[in-house]
Amino acid sequence: MTILIIIGMAVITFLFRFVPLLLTNHTNGSSKVQALLEYLPIAVLSALTVPGIIQVDPDVNLVGIAAGTVAVILVLIRKIPLLLVILGSVSAALLVKMLTLYF
């Protein structure tokens, strides 16, 4: 039963990633449809990421919010390597966690 659930989730995940690719290449629709299909991956990724950021530390919600904010700011600055974004985000989370422990 567990194997069937895993296979089902894999198929659904594949379809959600593959179908917009097919629609984008073969659609001659309006510019609104094209814009929707272009922003769909960003919207889905945001919908998956934001709840995780808020629920990082149940005791101190600011840890995830600080880490997410630093990551977004660093990503918006061009030419920042991914490793520096990760290190900045983790550093912000650790700093907020340490500050909340002492104050």
Side-chain angles (χ1 to χ4, degrees), residues 57-103:
D57 189 354
D59 297 331
V60 184
N61 288 336
L62 288 178
V63 172
I65 293 170
T69 303
V70 169
V72 167
I73 290 170
L74 290 177
V75 165
L76 291 176
I77 299 172
R78 303 288 182 213
K79 311 243 187 211
I80 300 280
L82 180 62
L83 180 62
L84 290 179
V85 173
I86 293 169
L87 289 175
S89 182
V90 169
S91 299
L94 288 173
L95 180 67
V96 170
K97 184 67 174 179
M98 288 176 21
L99 288 174
T100 56
L101 288 175
Y102 293 116
F103 295 109

Side-chain angles (χ1 to χ4, degrees), residues 21-78:
L21 178 66
L22 288 177
L23 292 176
T24 302
N25 291 337
H26 294 48
T27 304
N28 292 332
S30 67
S31 61
K32 290 183 181 181
V33 172
Q34 290 295 90
L36 173 75
L37 291 175
E38 286 178 18
Y39 292 116
L40 184 66
I42 296 170
V44 170
L45 183 62
S46 299
L48 293 172
T49 305
V50 170
I53 287 174
I54 294 172
Q55 298 172 351
V56 169
D57 189 354
D59 297 331
V60 184
N61 288 336
L62 288 178
V63 172
I65 293 170
T69 303
V70 169
V72 167
I73 290 170
L74 290 177
V75 165
L76 291 176
I77 299 172
R78 303 288 182 213

